[in-house]
Amino acid sequence: MLERIMNARAGLSALAPALVLAACAGAEAPAFSPWPTGTVTASVETAPVGTANADAADDPAIWRNAADPAKSIVLGTDKKAGIYSYDLSGKVMDFVPAGLLNNVDLVELADGTVLVAASDRTEETVARIAFFTLAADGTLTAGPKLPVGSGEAYGFCMAPAAAPGQLARSYVVTKAGPVIETVLGGTADAPIAISTRTLAIPTQSEGCVVDPRTDMLYVGEELVGVHRFDLSEADPKGEIVASADGLALVADVEGLALAPMGKNGGMLIASSQGDNAYVGFMLPGMEYVGRVRIGDGEMIDGTSETDGIAFAAGDFGPAFPNGIFIAQDGDNASEGASISGASTQNFKLVRGDSLIAALGAKN
């Protein structure tokens, strides 16, 4: 794997002058990366979201049922209508109409309550978080909607509490770029904002994920690349740790997911929406690892135009013994038809160990 990384770096260095010249001449980045890209297939696909003939499915999350991993639950947003829960066979367990929800995440609290939250973009000028609780049978119970600042709530992710007295931490990525961090207090039924601060990003961004092991926040600026913020700092300044160069990562940079391995290793995975791929970067240094696509299988089609992604480590039962990777499919053509415009968008579930292997890393 180290040799692959060094070769990839060498290739990027060799191509850099040409990329600069092309940019100066106004040339566009290649539509598909010329770099080698592996293929995996999905084991399961969810039922489509209910909003048809629209770009509707957006972002997944997963709760691991430690007591019975095979009964773990996948969440997915229909950004025109609300939020779904699915079992690991892809069957709908529950749906809550909740308006224009975009991205979703969850944390399991100390008392075992599963707190689910999503970015509510109903109002373009007021960023809100919509809260829910999730039961082990898949039932979602709607809670309050908490305003946390100005701007259209677009991307969203959560992190565990960092200090006593906190419920959790949330990160609303506004569509214009800035990220609103909110330290949450109160209870799962009635979360409150203890404090907020804003992290600067210049242009439209969406995907985000927090690595709770290192307290690093990763945010995808769609046309630029991946920013990293050290949340332990009083005034975090983002740094670009992966560029949308048209080689490793093809804009738009969309969903981000963390595949942890050990104390602070593993991979950050990014949706390279511009060429329907997923890219792995080794943590903590963000070295390029590899690229992969979800291709057509015998019964389940591949993915394209992916927005949100999620990765969860651990045993999830016989079908997913070593992790799960979930990707939104922007063009679910499972009936053999090309459905550009995504009339039946859904989510695809891939074995986590298969994805890691295809990217070229060792789990």
Side-chain angles (χ1 to χ4, degrees), residues 39-316:
T39 304
V40 293
T41 56
S43 300
V44 171
E45 63 179 343
T46 68
V49 299
T51 301
N53 301 310
D55 179 19
D58 195 83
D59 190 51
I62 185 164
W63 172 67
R64 183 176 180 271
N65 184 336
D68 191 347
K71 293 185 179 179
S72 298
I73 297 169
V74 172
L75 302 177
T77 55
D78 178 335
K79 61 188 175 185
K80 310 293 185 182
I83 185 170
Y84 285 88
S85 63
Y86 305 91
D87 65 19
L88 294 188
S89 73
K91 180 181 177 181
V92 173
M93 303 177 77
D94 196 12
F95 172 73
V96 176
L100 308 184
L101 303 185
N102 211 57
N103 284 17
V104 63
D105 205 353
L106 60 85
V107 292
E108 187 164 352
L109 305 178
D111 64 0
T113 301
V114 182
L115 179 64
V116 176
S119 50
D120 182 342
R121 58 189 298 196
T122 303
E123 293 187 46
E124 294 184 2
T125 58
V126 180
R128 286 188 172 87
I129 303 171
F131 290 98
F132 308 83
T133 55
L134 174 68
D137 66 357
T139 300
L140 285 158
T141 301
K145 294 189 176 184
L146 179 68
V148 294
S150 60
E152 182 179 350
Y154 201 46
F156 183 78
C157 55
M158 298 182 79
Q166 297 179 5
L167 194 66
R169 293 172 290 164
S170 68
Y171 299 85
V172 173
V173 183
T174 62
K175 193 169 185 178
V179 180
I180 304 169
E181 178 193 62
T182 305
V183 176
L184 299 168
T187 66
D189 294 329
I192 61 172
I194 296 176
S195 65
T196 62
R197 62 178 175 177
T198 300
L199 312 177
I201 294 183
T203 66
Q204 181 167 314
S205 306
E206 183 175 1
C208 71
V209 66
V210 176
D211 187 344
R213 303 168 303 169
T214 58
D215 221 21
M216 295 292 180
L217 168 68
Y218 297 87
V219 183
E221 187 178 8
E222 294 186 358
L223 299 181
V224 178
V226 179
H227 292 253
R228 180 170 62 195
F229 295 85
D230 185 345
L231 297 174
S232 68
E233 297 177 351
D235 185 20
K237 305 297 183 185
E239 60 173 334
I240 294 288
V241 291
S243 297
D245 54 17
L247 297 171
L249 194 56
V250 180
D252 287 354
V253 180
E254 289 287 340
L256 300 178
L258 181 72
M261 301 176 201
K263 187 175 180 179
N264 63 0
M267 282 196 296
L268 181 81
I269 304 170
S271 170
S272 177
Q273 192 187 70
D275 73 336
N276 304 329
Y278 311 94
V279 185
F281 300 94
M282 189 60 67
L283 296 172
M286 286 292 289
E287 297 92 353
Y288 170 78
V289 178
R291 314 178 80 255
V292 67
R293 294 189 177 95
I294 301 175
D296 291 341
E298 291 184 7
M299 301 296 294
I300 302 173
D301 65 307
T303 60
S304 61
E305 300 178 3
T306 293
D307 287 329
I309 59 175
F311 188 101
D315 175 17
F316 287 84

